[in-house]
Amino acid sequence: MSAILPSAASLYDRVRRVIPAIEWSTFLDDIDAILALKRERNAVILAHNYQTPEIFHCVADIVGDSLALARKARSTEADVIVLAGVYFMAETAKLLNPEKTVLIPDLNAGCSLAESITAEDVRLMRQRIPNVPIVTYVNTSAAVKAESDICCTSGNARAVVESLGVPRVIMLPDEYLAKNVAAETNVEILAWKGHCEVHERFAASDIRELRQAHPGIVVLAHPECPPEVVAAADFSGSTAAMSDYVERQKPPRVVLMTECSMSDNVALQHPEIEFIRPCNLCPHMKRITLANIRAALEQNRHIVTIEPAIAGRARLAVERMLAL
Ligand code: 13P
Ligand code: SF4
């Protein structure tokens, strides 16, 4: 006997605290269609923590940070993976599932970090600084990953750097992540000059003002924030680490210095906690909508492909990270 699908209407309780009823009514048709299409196509939706609540809480099968999405992409039995996130995440899912169909609902869902560096830049760097391992943040193209020794995410960057057992590494392309890791390790880190356009806008003065305006507030910052912001925060970690911190510590008042949907998604699970909301939107993450997820499943678009010459080497860099 096949399982009965939940109807969109029955899901509203999950998000009613952040989505007004009038807005919710515009989502019903797409949610019902997506739930049916997932079953028809044996598809799963992997959604990053920055996806909007109607995607994150109502149609996603697997949610998490970049590391969790990469790990869980490997173990799915589905034929089709829809990546509700940005392009590099879809490429990573494809690298780990070469035989499956991986769809990204909007091809222009990019990332300023991935845009900040090319494969040629990495080859030149290797020529100029030979014999120093290159650690590449997953927020890069498959072509850049293919030129590197190992990947990392914000959730494992320090562990990856220290796993290499060398005194010096090159870490690409996020300057701030590299500096934030350098502050925690004895390994010397050579950085590139890429920045996340969302996290670079936070300033240490924002934190000082927040602490004045909201006494007792606990400040969590993503490690893509500038080092002075991370230094002024109470805790820094990947999106999953921030979510776990809230779950574990249950601070009465908290601010997440990161993308806006993250606070909505975490707040829905913790009605007792006061979330203060200065946040920045990621325009790339926000390109993904219920409408284009539905279109992706209906029209089998946009299929992610990676040139075989690149895929083999890029996969190795990702697999080395996952093996740690
Ligand atoms: P996480 O791996 O921490 O989820 O970060 C991904 C990202 O793009 C943050 O801007
Ligand atoms: Fe890229 Fe920053 Fe958007 Fe994350 S938040 S996808 S790092 S631009």
Side-chain angles (χ1 to χ4, degrees), residues 48 50 66 85-89 109-114 137 139 174 195-200 222 224 258-259 280-285:
H48 184 261
Y50 294 162
S66 316
V86 292
Y87 195 76
F88 75 81
M89 296 176 178
C111 170
S112 65
L113 281 167
Y137 195 30
N139 297 38
D174 187 347
H195 297 144
C196 162
E197 68 187 84
V198 175
H199 293 93
E200 71 177 349
H222 194 276
E224 289 169 9
T258 190
E259 213 275 341
N280 291 323
L281 277 174
C282 173
H284 311 289
M285 288 280 178

Side-chain angles (χ1 to χ4, degrees), residues 81-145:
I81 296 173
V82 180
L83 203 304
V86 292
Y87 195 76
F88 75 81
M89 296 176 178
E91 270 192 336
T92 304
K94 180 65 184 174
L95 286 172
L96 298 168
N97 290 281
E99 74 299 344
K100 292 191 201 294
T101 299
V102 176
L103 304 175
I104 177 99
D106 186 324
L107 275 176
N108 293 316
C111 170
S112 65
L113 281 167
E115 289 301 313
S116 74
I117 192 159
T118 65
E120 182 57 17
D121 292 329
V122 188
R123 283 192 289 271
L124 277 174
M125 182 159 275
R126 206 184 273 286
Q127 268 173 24
R128 288 194 191 141
I129 315 174
N131 306 318
V132 178
I134 297 182
V135 178
T136 294
Y137 195 30
V138 285
N139 297 38
T140 47
S141 65
V144 163
K145 290 182 176 76

Side-chain angles (χ1 to χ4, degrees), residues 104-313:
I104 177 99
D106 186 324
L107 275 176
N108 293 316
C111 170
S112 65
L113 281 167
E115 289 301 313
S116 74
I117 192 159
T118 65
E120 182 57 17
D121 292 329
V122 188
R123 283 192 289 271
L124 277 174
M125 182 159 275
R126 206 184 273 286
Q127 268 173 24
R128 288 194 191 141
I129 315 174
N131 306 318
V132 178
I134 297 182
V135 178
T136 294
Y137 195 30
V138 285
N139 297 38
T140 47
S141 65
V144 163
K145 290 182 176 76
E147 298 300 330
S148 59
D149 296 295
I150 187 166
C151 287
C152 74
T153 74
S154 59
N156 62 13
R158 178 181 171 183
V160 168
V161 162
E162 293 182 346
S163 75
L164 299 171
V166 293
R168 208 174 178 218
V169 305
I170 296 168
M171 194 168 170
L172 307 171
D174 187 347
E175 179 187 3
Y176 296 150
L177 177 69
K179 290 186 169 163
N180 287 324
V181 174
E184 295 178 344
T185 180
N186 292 326
V187 180
E188 185 192 351
I189 299 185
L190 308 178
W192 186 249
K193 55 187 182 317
H195 297 144
C196 162
E197 68 187 84
V198 175
H199 293 93
E200 71 177 349
R201 305 211 303 269
F202 291 110
S205 56
D206 297 337
I207 299 185
R208 283 194 293 276
E209 285 162 21
L210 279 163
R211 290 198 195 280
Q212 264 174 11
H214 306 279
I217 194 166
V218 172
V219 181
L220 313 187
H222 194 276
E224 289 169 9
C225 291
E228 58 278 14
V229 171
V230 168
D234 298 298
F235 173 81
S236 174
S238 77
T239 55
M242 286 193 269
S243 180
D244 291 348
Y245 181 101
V246 173
E247 177 68 40
R248 254 192 347 267
Q249 306 287 337
K250 301 209 174 12
R253 224 177 214 191
V254 69
V255 58
L256 309 184
M257 311 292 283
T258 190
E259 213 275 341
C260 302
S261 292
M262 174 86 194
S263 290
D264 284 340
N265 290 330
V266 180
L268 281 169
Q269 283 148 348
H270 297 284
E272 74 289 4
I273 295 177
E274 184 189 3
F275 284 76
I276 307 295
R277 307 290 182 102
C279 62
N280 291 323
L281 277 174
C282 173
H284 311 289
M285 288 280 178
K286 266 35 283 185
R287 282 182 174 274
I288 309 300
T289 62
L290 288 173
N292 60 26
I293 292 174
R294 176 181 180 172
L297 284 163
E298 280 173 345
Q299 298 165 35
N300 205 33
R301 73 173 200 203
H302 301 275
I303 297 178
V304 176
T305 56
I306 304 169
E307 270 179 54
I310 288 175
R313 289 178 296 133

